[in-house]
Amino acid sequence: MVGQRTIMYAEERAEVEVLDANLDKIKGITKKIQASMMRLETSGATVQQAIGPIYGNTQRLQIINSNIDRVSAAIDKLKEPLDMKAREERIIRAGIQSVGLSEYLASLNRTRQAHSDLKFTNLRSNQRTVAELNELLKSGIQQLEVVFRETLKEHARPVEPLHFVTKQLSFPRIQQDHLSRLALINSFITSAAGLDTIYNGQETPTIKIYTEVRGSYISATLHNLAAASINTARKKASDAAYRQGTNAIGTYAAGLEGLCVTEHDNICSLFSREEWSQVYNSTCRSALAEFSKTLQDLNTHIKSNLTTDCYLSYEIIDIVSNLSSRLHSQTGELKGPLAESLKPIRETARNSLSELLEDTRRRIGSLQVLPADGSSVPTTTETMTRLQMMAAYIGPLSSVMASLGDGNWSSPPSTSSSNATSTLKAFDVGADGRQLFSHYASDSIEVLLSNLESKARTLLRGKSLRGVFIANNVTVVERMVRSSDLLPLLSNSTATIDTWRKKGTSLYVDAWHDTSRFLLDSIHTNRGARPPSGSSGVNDSAMIIKGLSGKEKDKIKENFKAFNISFDDLVDRHTKLAMEPEVRALLTREVQKVMQPLYDRFWDRYHEIDKGKGKYVKYDKGSLAAKFAALG
């Protein structure tokens, strides 16, 4: 055991000795390394001291070299515009046709940039070159303007508007490739407008050129339609009323609309959104001015022939209002100018309402005689024809009447009310146009019939003749209402016609009341019981006759004779009077309602006065009824 332990200790001691030997070696190496580091530090310091000045000099040289390069580049940059001037001048002087638009615009862009750069340097030595480049830019832009104008002129030859209007075709637009070309030119000139030295703050010429060329094109295209509108307004007969659609103003407006819509499309493709409104209004200005002048000429014509051609004013209001609405919905423009051009026509239309009423009064007042047979007068037909023609313009008339106010057409509007309608009624924006027209038509009929009645009291003798005269005119009025578009418009305004019909009937029936007096007798209650008047028996009549005194019998005989004479006279006059079929039937029926019951009663009581010989009793009940039937 002891021996084994001794061996183990010997081995461990040997390992420790080896470790100690290795540690001594490491310490020796560490000392050598430390000695080497110290020598390196000493050498590095020596090198740094030697190289430091050399490195500083190198940095300064690099900075100087960089500055020299920059100065050289700046000099080259300053010399570059001078070098490119000759090259760009050759391109610009050669013209667009020679080099093409794209290359020409590129050259102008380079010239403009060079001009801007030289101007920015503000070197006195560059002022001459700046001026030369400025003149070169002006020359180049002038060539662009010429090309812009010439390209527009290729599409500015006037066309025949009737071809497009009648066939409902769109007017020709500028070709797309030309639009693209024009847009490039406009874009460059618009951007160049920012250079005060080029335009001195003035508006770019492309808008001016466009509005001038295209505006002239639109005006020239519409010239014949403007002339046609005036020519077709001329009257062949002074008293001939205007017939709807015979004036060319509708075609004129359709042509104007088509051209304006097409022009708006062109402008939107060519100019920026901010320029659309300005360019569009300027382009259409001359055409709208000519259109307005045409409306003024037509208005003068209408005012000179107001009672016959007022319908043209209503038609113009309808056409131009619809034109304005459609153009505004498609372009958002021109509503104001069109409304302004329509103002004189609207004023004339308002005045026409009172003038037509006054003309009816004048016509009736100028009548020296009335038909002796009681027939209607032409004025009635003329007045109703006017209303029938007005019914075809219910749309524009609604706006005119609403602006005037319900009932304010009875007298001519004053200057103040025509400029700014002052009555509360005139501001009734909720007024029903059809109802307003119904009121106007009723007023027109009332004016017609009341003036005819007044004239009849002066010129016609006898109630029956006046009654027939009024009834005939009322029937003509009613017939013309029922046979036209007036019927639905006046469905709630029949009271006026009914009142006048009753008035005419009453006048006529009154003339028969004198004859009916012969059929009235006196009943004496102190002579016994009164025989039943409703009986038709012979014995009853005989009994009544038997109970009469001789004087009373003579009175009955005289009444029969007087009735026969008066009745026959009235029948004769009835047959000789000129009555409309409806009037004859109505008046006969109304007279029979009055006369037949009275005569039947009188005949029942006293027909035995001549014992059936017919000496006094000319008609029995049946023959009298037959007579009335023949009259109707």
Side-chain angles (χ1 to χ4, degrees), residues 204-217:
T204 60
T206 47
I207 292 178
K208 182 178 179 181
I209 294 172
Y210 187 92
T211 56
E212 176 187 334
V213 175
R214 296 299 294 180
S216 299
Y217 156 74

Side-chain angles (χ1 to χ4, degrees), residues 433-473:
R434 297 170 69 89
Q435 185 179 23
L436 289 175
F437 180 79
S438 175
H439 293 172
Y440 178 79
S442 295
D443 289 351
S444 298
I445 294 171
E446 179 65 29
V447 168
L448 169 69
L449 296 177
S450 61
N451 281 269
L452 286 177
E453 183 201 26
S454 177
K455 181 63 70 172
R457 284 199 302 268
T458 303
L459 299 180
L460 296 181
R461 298 182 60 182
K463 289 184 176 181
S464 61
L465 183 55
R466 293 202 299 273
V468 169
F469 176 72
I470 292 174
N472 277 331
N473 284 284

Side-chain angles (χ1 to χ4, degrees), residues 18-32:
V18 171
L19 290 174
D20 286 338
N22 289 335
L23 181 60
D24 290 338
K25 289 179 181 180
I26 291 172
K27 286 180 179 180
I29 294 172
T30 301
K31 288 179 180 181
K32 291 179 181 180

Side-chain angles (χ1 to χ4, degrees), residues 65-285:
N65 186 59
S66 177
N67 290 338
I68 292 172
D69 290 341
R70 290 179 181 178
V71 171
S72 178
I75 294 173
D76 291 340
K77 190 173 182 181
L78 289 175
K79 292 174 61 181
E80 184 178 351
L82 302 177
D83 296 336
M84 55 79 65
K85 174 179 173 295
R87 181 178 69 254
E88 304 303 343
E89 184 174 11
R90 285 194 301 272
I91 295 175
I92 294 173
R93 300 298 184 195
I96 298 173
Q97 300 298 331
S98 299
V99 301
L101 181 61
S102 298
E103 178 61 26
Y104 191 84
L105 291 177
S107 176
L108 282 177
N109 277 321
R110 292 191 295 270
T111 303
R112 184 171 62 179
Q113 185 61 45
H115 174 272
S116 177
D117 292 342
L118 286 176
K119 185 180 178 183
F120 181 75
T121 62
N122 202 25
L123 296 176
R124 183 176 299 179
S125 60
N126 290 337
Q127 294 305 309
R128 180 178 178 182
T129 304
V130 169
E132 291 175 351
L133 290 177
N134 188 53
E135 291 300 320
L136 187 60
L137 278 175
K138 284 184 178 181
S139 174
I141 290 176
Q142 287 174 355
Q143 289 191 54
L144 287 178
E145 293 173 12
V146 171
V147 172
F148 192 86
R149 183 184 296 274
E150 294 302 321
T151 304
L152 284 176
K153 283 185 175 181
E154 292 181 21
H155 301 274
R157 285 183 289 274
V159 297
E160 176 50 59
L162 281 177
H163 170 75
F164 298 93
V165 172
T166 55
K167 295 186 178 181
Q168 298 182 340
L169 300 174
S170 298
F171 280 84
R173 289 186 56 187
I174 299 175
Q175 294 177 9
Q176 188 58 46
D177 58 333
H178 285 186
L179 276 175
S180 301
R181 182 184 182 92
L182 292 170
L184 285 173
I185 296 175
N186 175 67
S187 177
F188 178 85
I189 294 180
T190 300
S191 63
L195 300 176
D196 293 342
T197 54
I198 303 297
Y199 289 107
N200 296 320
Q202 298 179 4
E203 184 185 48
T204 60
T206 47
I207 292 178
K208 182 178 179 181
I209 294 172
Y210 187 92
T211 56
E212 176 187 334
V213 175
R214 296 299 294 180
S216 299
Y217 156 74
I218 296 174
S219 297
T221 297
L222 294 173
H223 176 74
N224 289 339
L225 291 182
S229 298
I230 302 301
N231 292 335
T232 51
R234 293 172 182 167
K235 301 170 70 67
K236 295 181 179 179
S238 59
D239 58 346
Y242 174 77
R243 290 184 294 109
Q244 187 175 18
T246 56
N247 189 269
I249 188 65
T251 306
Y252 188 7
L256 178 63
E257 178 182 1
L259 285 166
C260 287
V261 170
T262 298
E263 206 56 44
H264 187 263
D265 293 340
N266 289 332
I267 290 170
C268 291
S269 300
L270 177 53
F271 295 93
S272 65
R273 179 178 292 274
E274 294 76 14
E275 296 173 318
W276 288 355
S277 179
Q278 176 191 1
V279 179
Y280 185 60
N281 281 280
S282 298
T283 302
C284 298
R285 185 178 293 122

Side-chain angles (χ1 to χ4, degrees), residues 543-609:
M543 289 175 60
I544 293 171
I545 296 298
K546 185 177 181 181
L548 296 176
S549 64
K551 188 175 181 180
E552 290 174 331
K553 290 179 181 178
D554 290 341
K555 179 66 173 176
I556 295 300
K557 292 176 182 178
E558 289 298 323
N559 283 356
F560 267 115
K561 290 174 64 177
F563 171 81
N564 294 335
I565 294 172
S566 179
F567 180 77
D568 289 344
D569 179 60
L570 288 173
V571 168
D572 182 60
R573 280 192 281 173
H574 182 92
T575 56
K576 290 180 179 179
L577 290 174
M579 300 184 191
E580 299 291 334
E582 302 93 328
V583 173
R584 189 173 297 278
L586 171 65
L587 296 183
T588 299
R589 186 167 59 252
E590 293 300 319
V591 169
Q592 188 174 10
K593 285 181 183 179
V594 174
M595 302 299 296
Q596 189 78 49
L598 291 174
Y599 189 81
D600 287 354
R601 173 194 167 280
F602 197 77
W603 187 89
D604 285 341
R605 292 175 61 83
Y606 304 115
H607 67 273
E608 283 297 317
I609 194 71

Side-chain angles (χ1 to χ4, degrees), residues 408-562:
N408 289 342
W409 47 70
S410 299
S411 58
S414 63
T415 303
S416 59
S417 64
S418 63
N419 292 334
T421 311
S422 57
T423 64
L424 291 176
K425 290 181 179 180
F427 289 99
D428 183 9
V429 296
D432 186 332
R434 297 170 69 89
Q435 185 179 23
L436 289 175
F437 180 79
S438 175
H439 293 172
Y440 178 79
S442 295
D443 289 351
S444 298
I445 294 171
E446 179 65 29
V447 168
L448 169 69
L449 296 177
S450 61
N451 281 269
L452 286 177
E453 183 201 26
S454 177
K455 181 63 70 172
R457 284 199 302 268
T458 303
L459 299 180
L460 296 181
R461 298 182 60 182
K463 289 184 176 181
S464 61
L465 183 55
R466 293 202 299 273
V468 169
F469 176 72
I470 292 174
N472 277 331
N473 284 284
V474 169
T475 298
V476 171
V477 168
E478 184 176 28
R479 182 187 301 147
M480 295 186 72
V481 168
R482 293 185 179 279
S483 63
S484 68
D485 293 337
L486 289 173
L487 180 59
L489 296 172
L490 300 183
S491 58
N492 297 325
S493 303
T494 58
T496 300
I497 297 176
D498 292 339
T499 299
W500 281 102
R501 184 192 297 106
K502 291 176 182 178
K503 186 174 292 188
T505 302
S506 176
L507 282 172
Y508 184 76
V509 173
D510 280 349
W512 290 72
H513 284 164
D514 292 338
T515 301
S516 68
R517 290 188 296 104
F518 299 120
L519 302 178
L520 303 176
D521 58 346
S522 300
I523 304 298
H524 298 279
T525 58
N526 61 349
R527 293 183 181 177
R530 176 187 176 195
S533 61
S535 174
S536 59
V538 175
N539 293 333
D540 293 337
S541 178
M543 289 175 60
I544 293 171
I545 296 298
K546 185 177 181 181
L548 296 176
S549 64
K551 188 175 181 180
E552 290 174 331
K553 290 179 181 178
D554 290 341
K555 179 66 173 176
I556 295 300
K557 292 176 182 178
E558 289 298 323
N559 283 356
F560 267 115
K561 290 174 64 177

